[in-house]
Every structure is written in C-alpha cells, then in structure tokens.
C-alpha cells in the first residue's frame, strides 16, 4: 500500500510544475465566460436539431467549460497532496531539491546547481518521497490517506 502511495507521490512531484501552469492558464481562460456567444432565437429556435446534441452554442460552451473546470479541480487535488506534506521536509538539501523539482527542473540541472551527482539527487528525491508517503493526516484517525489513493497519474 505504501509503495502505491510512493509511486503516486513521485508521479505528482514529476507533474507538479505543468499542473500549476495549467491551472493558471485554465483559470485565466475561464474568466471570460463565453461573451459574444448567442443562442438561436426566432425561426431557428423552432427548427429541428440533430439527434443527441444541441445546437445552442452557449450551452455547448458551458458544457466545455464545465469539463475544463473539473480538470482544474483534479489538478488542485493532486497539488494539495504535495502541499499538505511539504512541512515534513526539514533537511536543507531535501528542501532545495524539492523546490527545484516543483519548479520542473531535471535531476541533472539540480545536480549541477547544487554541485552533486544526478544519482545523489535521485536518492534525495527518494528520501522526500518516502517521508511524504509515510505521512498520515490527523483527520483519518490512523487509516490510509484516501485522498492520495484515489488520484491517478496524469501520465
């Protein structure tokens, strides 16, 4: 069970940077809630429509945006898994590696920046993942963290 949590934490760490960027972009794009779109009225409203769909562009835009909003919620839930556990990382090296991983940097880039080998960065990342996956939030009364287990990898 903890191995599955470790793999999920590792996957979320890898995807964290692009999910944050996607949330920012999606939120910005959702601000203009379909201005300029009009529904069909008058004679066109009474005309038969294709089976199984609607020809109302406002409705279709709302459906599309609702799907995008659910993507934002999914990304936010995954990101909060990491953010809720960041306090567990107290070592300076681990904090530095975690910071750069969340910024989307590669092991090699982090290694060059810190003057370590990329394999050492991998070991530090493994230590971060281990600490984060062993964390059980106080609200679950000792049970497994269901918030983490219900997430699927974005890859």
């Amino acid at each position: 069970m903890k191995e599955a949590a470790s793999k999920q934490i590792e996957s979320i760490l890898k995807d964290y940077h692009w999910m944050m960027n996607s949330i920012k972009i999606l939120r910005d794009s959702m601000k203009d809630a379909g201005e300029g779109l009009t529904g069909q009225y008058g004679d066109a409203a009474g005309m038969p429509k294709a089976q199984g769909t609607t020809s109302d562009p406002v409705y279709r835009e709302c459906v599309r945006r609702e799907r995008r909003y659910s993507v934002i919620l999914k990304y936010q839930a995954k990101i909060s898994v990491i953010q809720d556990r960041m306090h567990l990382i107290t070592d300076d090296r681990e904090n530095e590696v975690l910071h750069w991983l969340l910024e989307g940097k590669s092991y090699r880039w982090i290694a060059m920046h810190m003057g370590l080998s990329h394999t050492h960065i991998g070991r530090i990342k493994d230590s971060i993942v281990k600490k984060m996956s062993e964390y059980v939030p106080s609200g679950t009364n000792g049970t497994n963290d269901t918030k983490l287990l219900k997430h699927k990898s974005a890859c």
Side-chain angles (χ1 to χ4, degrees):
M1 191 67 111
K2 286 192 179 190
E3 187 172 319
S6 293
K7 287 185 186 283
Q8 288 176 325
I9 293 271
E10 197 167 339
S11 175
I12 295 169
L13 277 175
K14 186 175 101 178
D15 298 338
Y16 185 95
H17 182 70
W18 70 258
M19 284 191 288
M20 284 296 292
N21 286 339
S22 290
I23 288 172
K24 289 178 202 171
I25 291 168
L26 287 169
R27 282 184 180 166
D28 286 343
S29 72
M30 302 276 280
K31 285 181 183 171
D32 63 333
E35 288 114 17
L37 296 175
T38 58
Q40 293 182 353
Y41 301 100
D43 292 337
M47 300 299 285
K49 294 175 180 55
Q51 193 69 16
T53 185
T54 179
S55 64
D56 183 3
V58 176
Y59 174 76
R60 288 193 312 231
E61 180 64 10
C62 287
V63 170
R64 184 188 71 82
R65 286 175 182 267
E66 181 62 31
R67 286 187 192 128
R68 296 310 291 166
Y69 184 69
S70 66
V71 169
I72 291 173
L73 293 178
K74 182 177 82 171
Y75 291 167
Q76 285 175 336
K78 286 183 177 186
I79 286 170
S80 71
V81 168
I82 299 298
Q83 291 174 343
D84 292 345
R85 290 166 169 76
M86 288 175 74
H87 70 278
L88 301 170
I89 309 305
T90 55
D91 181 67
D92 290 337
R93 279 186 175 190
E94 289 177 350
N95 262 324
E96 189 71 10
V97 170
L98 178 61
H99 169 75
W100 291 117
L101 285 173
L102 297 181
E103 289 294 319
K105 301 298 183 187
S106 69
Y107 292 176
R108 290 197 186 274
W109 187 95
I110 298 168
M112 285 180 42
H113 170 71
M114 294 180 69
L116 302 170
S117 71
H118 71 279
T119 55
H120 191 93
I121 298 301
R123 286 192 298 270
I124 293 172
K125 187 258 322 165
D126 290 342
S127 172
I128 292 168
V129 169
K130 182 179 179 201
K131 287 179 181 179
M132 287 186 168
S133 64
E134 289 175 350
Y135 175 69
V136 177
S138 59
T140 60
N141 297 328
T143 60
N144 290 326
D145 187 4
T146 56
K147 184 178 185 181
L148 177 63
L149 296 176
K150 67 182 175 183
H151 292 294
K152 293 186 176 126
S153 173
C155 295

